[in-house]
Amino acid sequence: RRMRAISRAGFLCQVSISHAPPAVHYVLHLHTQDGVAVSAQKQGLLPLSQQSIFPLSSLSYHDYEGVVLHEAEQARLVADLGETRNMILRNHGLLTVAGSVPDAFLQMYVLQTACQIQIRAQAGGGPLIRTPQQIVDGASQMARKNLLNLGGMLAWPGLLRKLDRRNPGYQD
């Protein structure tokens, strides 16, 4: 196998999460255009869609401190994450944590989709209709009962079948 270079900034950002709660075993971190655009908005993620209520039920923010090159930022990143599963890194991107790959992937997919929807809704230029707070609170109650973590295992087998069809030798 070929050796790949490792980004020190990416490594420090990811390894800092290893100091997070014990249930966290997997971290996903993206710099998508829509994710960075929402991260640059003062209000962050807004309750504009069904997709937004799930990340909002367990969302934290970390202020931008520049490219993550200093280990001192690790403690602040973990403290800002707290017990949440989704994080918006201001002016930087998105991060999700979970106990399994399927849950981390699905959480990131939903968070990223919520950001895409928000950017498109804002681009329309008209007044936005927010999801009522009681609906957002209902998703938070589901999260506390751990019901939202079931989705990864529901979606993951189908995603793997799709990957097998599109790229049959990917595991080699």
Side-chain angles (χ1 to χ4, degrees):
R1 297 210 169 190
R2 181 171 51 129
M3 291 294 288
R4 294 190 176 136
I6 296 174
S7 160
R8 178 164 168 75
F11 177 76
L12 285 176
C13 183
Q14 307 300 325
V15 80
S16 65
I17 303 303
S18 69
H19 304 293
V24 171
H25 300 289
Y26 299 93
V27 178
L28 286 180
H29 174 55
L30 298 179
H31 302 117
T32 62
Q33 291 178 355
D34 295 318
V36 174
V38 169
S39 80
Q41 295 179 2
K42 187 175 183 104
Q43 291 184 305
L45 185 63
L46 300 172
L48 299 178
S49 65
Q50 177 169 299
Q51 289 76 9
S52 69
I53 66 171
F54 300 111
L56 284 169
S57 72
S58 184
L59 180 65
S60 57
Y61 292 86
H62 177 70
D63 289 336
Y64 188 64
E65 298 182 29
V67 177
V68 182
L69 294 175
H70 305 286
E71 293 180 21
E73 186 177 358
Q74 290 181 8
R76 291 186 293 276
L77 186 63
V78 171
D80 288 343
L81 179 65
E83 297 294 321
T84 65
R85 295 182 316 273
N86 303 285
M87 178 178 263
I88 293 179
L89 304 162
R90 295 287 189 186
N91 307 96
H92 183 152
L94 308 175
L95 185 140
T96 61
V97 299
S100 70
V101 171
D103 287 339
F105 176 84
L106 186 62
Q107 285 170 202
M108 182 58 81
Y109 178 80
V110 174
L111 177 58
Q112 169 59 23
T113 301
C115 291
Q116 289 173 325
I117 291 168
Q118 179 168 320
I119 296 302
R120 289 179 184 181
Q122 291 170 326
L128 301 174
I129 301 169
R130 291 179 178 239
T131 302
Q133 188 60 44
Q134 66 266 25
I135 294 174
V136 175
D137 293 343
S140 295
Q141 290 172 358
M142 287 174 57
R144 280 192 295 279
K145 293 178 181 175
N146 211 24
L147 298 176
L148 296 181
N149 287 334
L150 301 175
M153 288 313 297
L154 294 174
W156 194 249
L159 291 169
L160 291 178
R161 286 191 303 273
K162 184 175 182 178
L163 181 57
D164 286 336
R165 281 192 311 274
R166 287 192 176 176
N167 190 2
Y170 75 93
Q171 292 181 348
D172 298 333

